[in-house]
Amino acid sequence: SVEGTVGSLTGSVSTLEKLSETDPELLAKYSKVYFLSEHFTPPQLSAVDPLYLYYEWRPESIDAREWPFVRNMLDAAHADGEKLWVVSGYRSFDKQADLKSRYTVQYGSGANTFAADQGYSEHQLGTAADFITSGLGGELEGFENTSTYQWMRQNAYRYGFTLSYPQNNAYYIFEPWHWRFVGIELATYLHNTGKQFYDLEQRDIDKYLVNLFD
């Protein structure tokens, strides 16, 4: 009985410690729903190895805790004959503001269909990334027609990733290149049930926070 009680307490303390070290923002629903402060930055960013970048000369970074999952996914894709690279990772609040401003100048109000305002971009979390493959001339458009995209649809969940903006979502245009890291447990649940991240209630999503980087 004592051993059971001690074990239960130890498990509870361990869970609380993990939760205290994991920002709740990492699984919050953004995309015109939840605002992320301009002061938020990932606790530690890791530079993406140039070998895994589409543009080797353009530095990109992601949350350091996520990097092993990204690397393993890209290695697995390459092992299966798919050419998959990171083309965009972490964006600061100010960088997103600048990007949205430039898109607005170019596309007017149409920019709201594909570009998030600052504070509402998953990229600021450091756990979302845009991926690209060869044969598209460096463009994101057309990614959904590639075998690499189909590979990701079948395998990305194994590494903790889910597609943020599938076809007919309520927030932005279909973005087959934009994937968010939500942890293997939640990504597997979404894959197996056919549900989308933004379909879930926030209180149900939050249950997966403790295992985000397991």
Side-chain angles (χ1 to χ4, degrees):
S1 177
V2 172
E3 290 179 353
T5 300
V6 172
S8 177
L9 289 173
T10 301
S12 298
V13 170
S14 177
T15 296
L16 290 173
E17 287 178 343
K18 290 173 69 175
L19 284 173
S20 69
E21 296 171 355
T22 308
D23 294 313
E25 290 90 345
L26 293 178
L27 284 184
K29 296 166 70 172
Y30 295 94
S31 309
K32 307 175 184 178
V33 178
Y34 183 89
F35 181 78
L36 189 60
S37 166
E38 67 270 24
H39 302 298
F40 178 89
T41 56
Q44 185 177 358
L45 288 168
S46 178
V48 178
D49 189 314
L51 291 175
Y52 298 93
L53 291 174
Y54 184 79
Y55 297 110
E56 296 183 0
W57 48 267
R58 191 175 74 187
E60 296 290 343
S61 58
I62 57 175
D63 190 299
R65 297 163 294 182
E66 177 196 358
W67 168 239
F69 297 89
V70 176
R71 182 185 61 227
N72 290 341
M73 182 172 72
L74 297 180
D75 285 343
H78 293 164
D80 287 341
E82 301 295 343
K83 297 178 179 179
L84 182 65
W85 296 282
V86 174
V87 71
S88 182
Y90 167 71
R91 296 178 196 154
S92 67
F93 185 94
D94 290 339
K95 184 176 181 180
Q96 185 66 27
D98 177 66
L99 186 65
K100 180 60 182 290
S101 178
R102 287 190 282 118
Y103 280 146
T104 300
V105 169
Q106 185 174 0
Y107 299 101
S109 61
N112 292 326
T113 65
F114 64 87
D117 289 332
Q118 61 273 22
Y120 292 99
S121 173
E122 293 183 341
H123 282 281
Q124 190 182 342
L125 295 169
T127 52
D130 293 339
F131 296 91
I132 197 171
T133 188
S134 60
L136 299 176
E139 299 294 329
L140 296 173
E141 298 294 335
F143 185 64
E144 70 273 19
N145 300 319
T146 68
S147 61
T148 305
Y149 170 66
Q150 294 304 321
W151 185 93
M152 291 197 71
R153 288 290 304 272
Q154 297 170 14
N155 297 281
Y157 76 94
R158 304 177 191 273
Y159 306 94
F161 283 89
T162 190
L163 185 65
S164 291
Y165 310 117
Q167 291 178 323
N168 302 315
N169 74 86
Y171 303 98
Y172 298 106
I173 61 171
F174 174 38
E175 293 191 353
W177 54 82
H178 180 96
W179 295 74
R180 177 176 178 174
F181 181 81
V182 297
I184 293 175
E185 185 177 359
L186 178 52
T188 299
Y189 170 76
L190 293 171
H191 179 269
N192 291 344
T193 60
K195 295 181 179 180
Q196 303 298 330
F197 179 82
Y198 282 94
D199 292 337
L200 304 185
E201 295 291 336
Q202 188 64 60
R203 63 177 179 272
D204 294 325
I205 293 174
D206 290 340
K207 297 174 185 177
Y208 294 90
L209 188 64
V210 67
N211 297 319
L212 182 60
F213 294 107
D214 288 353

